[in-house]
Structure formats: structure tokens, C-alpha cells
């Protein structure tokens, strides 16, 4: 799990991940890249992350992946990410494509629902909590309530 201030250097991260697993004998590398769309008058998105909970969530996924002979990689932006740049990327390396294809879908969906990351729209230079596109975290108390 890697966190970056601002938008992600996609090519650099993918290159590093590929280099790390070049000789690992995985037959599949399935990536996912999340790009900030120009919609609703936003200038950017901004992200706050509670790293200890995110690390715990990610560690559970690494254990699931290991049980299936796979490895999960993930990078996310902290702070402001301009339009048409990348805020999130992940990838699965596995011996067989079916495992990687299934796991990337499961991982990305669970990430969207359960990762402790709070998203804000940046409009006129101000951060506005994106409540309509946020999912309350189970057990998060005030963090899961309307802000």
C-alpha cells in the first residue's frame, strides 16, 4: 500500500510494480486505474485518509490474496487531485488470470465501500464533503454520519 501527496505518477508506479514481480512467475497482472472526471463543476477531488485503519483493511486483503496465490498492490492520493489525473490504482498479480480478474473486481468494490477515505469536491478553491458519493463505514460513529 502506497500513499502519495496529490495525483499519482501512474507510469512510474506500474513500472515499479512490474519490476518487483518480473521474475515471480505470475501469469496475470490485472490493473485498475481511477481517474478524476470533469463533472458537477468540480475543479478537483480531495482526499483525507485514516492510515492505520486503511493499513489494517489492506492487510486483510493481502491475506486473502495470499490464500489464492496472489499479491495485491494499491496506491492512493492524499489531498487534492486535479481533473483528468489519477487518485487511485490497484493491481492483482496471480498465477492464473481467473484469480486476478475475480479479485480485482472484489477488491475495488470493497475498497469503494469500506476503505477509510473521505472524498471532497473542490469547487471555487474550497473543499466540500462529497456526501452523495460517500459510503458510511460500519462502526465509524460520527465519521459515518452526515457531516
Amino acid at each position: 500500500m502506497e500513499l502519495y501527496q496529490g495525483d499519482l505518477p501512474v507510469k512510474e508506479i506500474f513500472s515499479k510494480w512490474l519490476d518487483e514481480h518480473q521474475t515471480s512467475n505470475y501469469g496475470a497482472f490485472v490493473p485498475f486505474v481511477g481517474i478524476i472526471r470533469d463533472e458537477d463543476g468540480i475543479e478537483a477531488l480531495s482526499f483525507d485518509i485514516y492510515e492505520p485503519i486503511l493499513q489494517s483493511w489492506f492487510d486483510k486483503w493481502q491475506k486473502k490474496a495470499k490464500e489464492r496465490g496472489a499479491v495485491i498492490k494499491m496506491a492512493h492520493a492524499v489531498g487534492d487531485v486535479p481533473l483528468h489525473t489519477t487518485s487511485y490504482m490497484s493491481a492483482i498479480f496471480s498465477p492464473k488470470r481467473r484469480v486476478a480478474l475475480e479479485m480485482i473486481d472484489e477488491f475495488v468494490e470493497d475498497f469503494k465501500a469500506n476503505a477509510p477515505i473521505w472524498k471532497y469536491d473542490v469547487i471555487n478553491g474550497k473543499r466540500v464533503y462529497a456526501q452523495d458519493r460517500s459510503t458510511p463505514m460500519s462502526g465509524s460513529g460520527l465519521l459515518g454520519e452526515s457531516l
Side-chain angles (χ1 to χ4, degrees), residues 1-2 5-6 9 11-12 30-31 37 48-49 67 75 85 87-88 93 97-98 107 112 115 117 122 128 145:
M1 183 185 84
E2 303 169 36
Q5 193 65 42
K11 292 176 185 176
E12 178 183 312
V30 178
R37 295 184 312 272
D48 290 340
I49 295 176
E67 289 168 359
T85 63
S87 61
Y88 169 73
F93 289 86
R97 73 178 177 279
R98 180 59 36 213
F107 181 73
K112 291 292 283 181
I117 297 176
V122 177
V128 178
E145 302 296 321

Side-chain angles (χ1 to χ4, degrees), residues 3-145:
L3 300 178
Y4 291 79
Q5 193 65 42
D7 59 297
L8 302 181
V10 175
K11 292 176 185 176
E12 178 183 312
I13 294 169
F14 275 154
S15 181
K16 181 176 74 165
W17 290 352
L18 282 167
D19 289 348
E20 288 173 0
H21 294 286
Q22 188 70 38
T23 60
S24 298
N25 207 33
Y26 290 118
F29 166 59
V30 178
F32 175 86
V33 177
I35 301 167
I36 307 299
R37 295 184 312 272
D38 183 358
E39 61 184 5
D40 300 326
I42 66 169
E43 300 159 14
L45 290 181
S46 189
F47 300 91
D48 290 340
I49 295 176
Y50 188 65
E51 193 172 345
I53 295 175
L54 182 60
Q55 187 65 57
S56 176
W57 173 87
F58 185 72
D59 290 347
K60 289 176 187 171
W61 268 100
Q62 281 290 36
K63 184 178 178 198
K64 287 181 190 180
K66 187 175 182 179
E67 289 168 359
R68 296 178 73 182
V71 170
I72 297 177
K73 297 288 192 175
M74 182 184 94
H76 202 286
V78 177
D80 294 355
V81 181
L83 297 176
H84 311 296
T85 63
T86 298
S87 61
Y88 169 73
M89 52 194 291
S90 57
I92 308 290
F93 289 86
S94 70
K96 303 285 184 179
R97 73 178 177 279
R98 180 59 36 213
V99 169
L101 290 168
E102 290 171 2
M103 284 201 80
I104 197 71
D105 181 55
E106 295 165 13
F107 181 73
V108 171
E109 292 303 317
D110 191 55
F111 171 83
K112 291 292 283 181
N114 295 307
I117 297 176
W118 291 269
K119 183 185 335 184
Y120 300 82
D121 294 331
V122 177
I123 301 172
N124 296 324
K126 295 187 170 118
R127 288 175 18 133
V128 178
Y129 181 61
Q131 183 172 352
D132 61 325
R133 294 188 320 278
S134 298
T135 305
M137 288 175 22
S138 176
S140 63
L142 289 175
L143 295 176
E145 302 296 321

